Amino acid sequence: MLLLSSFSKFLEDSLMTFWNFTGFANCELGNIIMLLVGCFFVWLAIKKNFEPLLLVPIGFGMLLGNIPFQPGMEIGIYEEGSVLNILYNGVEKGWYPPLIFLGIGAMTDFSALLANPKLMVIGACAQFGIFGAYMLSLLVGFDPLSAGCVAIIGGADGPTAIFTCSKLNPKLLGAVAVSAYSYMALIPLIQPPLMRLFTTKEERLIKMKPARVVSQNEKIIFPIVGLLLTCFVVPSGIPLLGMLFFGNLLRESGVTTRLAKTAQNAMTDIITILLGLTVGASTQADVFLSLDTLKIFGLGFLAFVIASSAGVCSVKIFNIFLAKNKKINPLIGNAGVSAVPMAARISNNVGLEYDPSNYLLMHAMGPNVAGVIGSAVAAGVLLSFLG
């Protein structure tokens, strides 16, 4: 009888210990909220096709990072030595973003920008979103370093936002990264109303001349000259700009095709998976759910609005000084943000709504790739002053 009682007590204690280690016993309201948000991200990616290559890893990472557990088990992303923590080093230490930029450079054809260099101005004007958001962030109470992290969301460039935040205030990484990628995915909903608001029907119907053909020599020289010009101005942008232009040289040189294809495909895919998964997992409820996170999402939205509006309005101002036959369709102004090639596709789609024969995609790619360079330069400026 005593033996049976001891075994019963042992079994009860064992079951209680097991229960205390389960997610059910450690679950809190914050975990449930973040699990629902993760499911929503996955739903958006699969059902609505909103940037699935980004939102599926991020959404699943949210699920991964918000399964409740007892601290000290070395499984959480913020627990030193855990597998997720080791993978998260690529985000926290800022070495995933330059590798992504290497892939972007290898994938990007800068011909549209080289054929019409004045489109660089549009990409530069769109960066007003970054500096406008910086001022707003200071006004709502963020310190200068945190304000820089929030402001970079306006560049519409997830890797740049992560890299900048990792240098200025790593504590905000999760909120800034999720905000940046969320609004990038929602560009098809955010930008078209702004484009229609700031343009007239007559402006939307402007047809631009076909771009000139860019020689191979120009394409080869561009990444070298681009690197020297930008990095001499903002040396702090070398990790991003250097990898971007290096990737582009691999693409255009004609003698490193294998390396370019590796950078474009396998390497970029691997880093995107790791980046998205760990960024999603970093939204652990006890760290992510805060008033600052809500502020970041609100300011991030305003940054996107300012950037897109500034791009469109800059074209309208530019057109005042151009001859009638050389005017630029303001609909390509939204493409001054760094979301390549999504923003350019939006320019094209809205243009086709008003004239089914007016294809703006190639023209919009000019400010779009300029926006990639512009956001990296803006990040370099912020790091120079704040880092």
Side-chain angles (χ1 to χ4, degrees), residues 98-299:
L99 293 176
I100 291 285
F101 261 67
L102 175 61
I104 292 172
M107 286 186 274
T108 303
D109 183 356
F110 285 95
S111 296
L113 182 61
L114 293 172
N116 195 355
K118 62 177 175 284
L119 298 179
M120 177 69 81
V121 176
I122 303 171
C125 289
Q127 307 315 311
F128 280 119
I130 293 175
F131 299 104
Y134 180 73
M135 300 304 296
L136 290 173
S137 299
L138 292 175
L139 288 175
V140 300
F142 283 103
D143 63 85
L145 294 182
S146 299
C149 295
V150 177
I152 201 64
I153 297 172
D157 190 324
T160 300
I162 290 171
F163 182 81
T164 305
C165 195
S166 72
K167 303 298 181 186
L168 297 180
N169 189 350
K171 292 180 180 178
L172 299 181
L173 261 171
V176 168
V178 172
S179 177
Y181 280 119
S182 298
Y183 290 130
M184 283 172 64
L186 293 175
I187 275 179
L189 299 180
I190 296 172
Q191 286 194 331
L194 295 170
M195 295 160 68
R196 295 185 184 99
L197 176 65
F198 289 105
T199 57
T200 65
K201 185 176 180 181
E202 184 181 70
E203 288 173 327
R204 296 173 207 141
L205 294 173
I206 292 175
K207 284 195 173 184
M208 298 172 65
K209 290 182 177 180
R212 70 176 180 84
V213 177
V214 177
S215 71
Q216 190 61 30
N217 284 340
E218 288 177 278
K219 293 181 181 181
I220 293 171
I221 293 170
F222 173 73
I224 298 171
V225 173
L227 172 70
L228 297 177
L229 288 178
T230 56
C231 290
F232 264 81
V233 175
V234 280
S236 51
I238 286 175
L240 296 178
L241 292 164
M243 296 299 264
L244 176 74
F245 288 121
F246 174 53
N248 191 243
L249 184 61
L250 292 179
R251 171 194 172 95
E252 303 297 355
S253 67
V255 294
T256 53
T257 304
R258 283 175 53 191
L259 299 182
K261 286 183 177 178
T262 299
Q264 290 171 16
N265 301 307
M267 190 201 71
T268 298
D269 290 344
I270 291 169
I271 299 300
T272 299
I273 291 170
L274 295 176
L275 180 66
L277 197 67
T278 52
V279 162
S282 72
T283 62
Q284 207 167 285
D286 58 342
V287 176
F288 188 78
L289 293 178
S290 68
L291 179 60
D292 279 350
T293 298
L294 292 177
K295 288 181 181 178
I296 288 169
F297 269 79
L299 290 167

Side-chain angles (χ1 to χ4, degrees), residues 361-383:
L361 182 61
M362 291 311 298
H363 298 292
M365 282 303 297
N368 210 184
V369 297
V372 177
I373 300 171
S375 66
V377 170
V381 171
L382 288 174
L383 290 173

Side-chain angles (χ1 to χ4, degrees), residues 68-87:
F69 61 90
Q70 276 198 353
M73 296 174 67
E74 290 192 0
I75 55 174
I77 195 164
Y78 294 111
E79 291 189 310
E80 197 71 32
S82 71
V83 173
L84 282 175
N85 180 260
I86 292 169
L87 294 176

Side-chain angles (χ1 to χ4, degrees), residues 4-34:
L4 184 61
S5 177
S6 297
F7 177 75
S8 177
K9 178 64 175 170
F10 169 75
L11 187 61
E12 183 182 342
D13 290 345
S14 297
L15 288 175
M16 185 55 67
T17 301
F18 175 75
W19 170 256
N20 288 335
F21 275 95
T22 65
F24 298 106
N26 293 280
C27 191
E28 297 178 356
L29 179 60
N31 299 117
I32 294 171
I33 292 172
M34 291 310 303

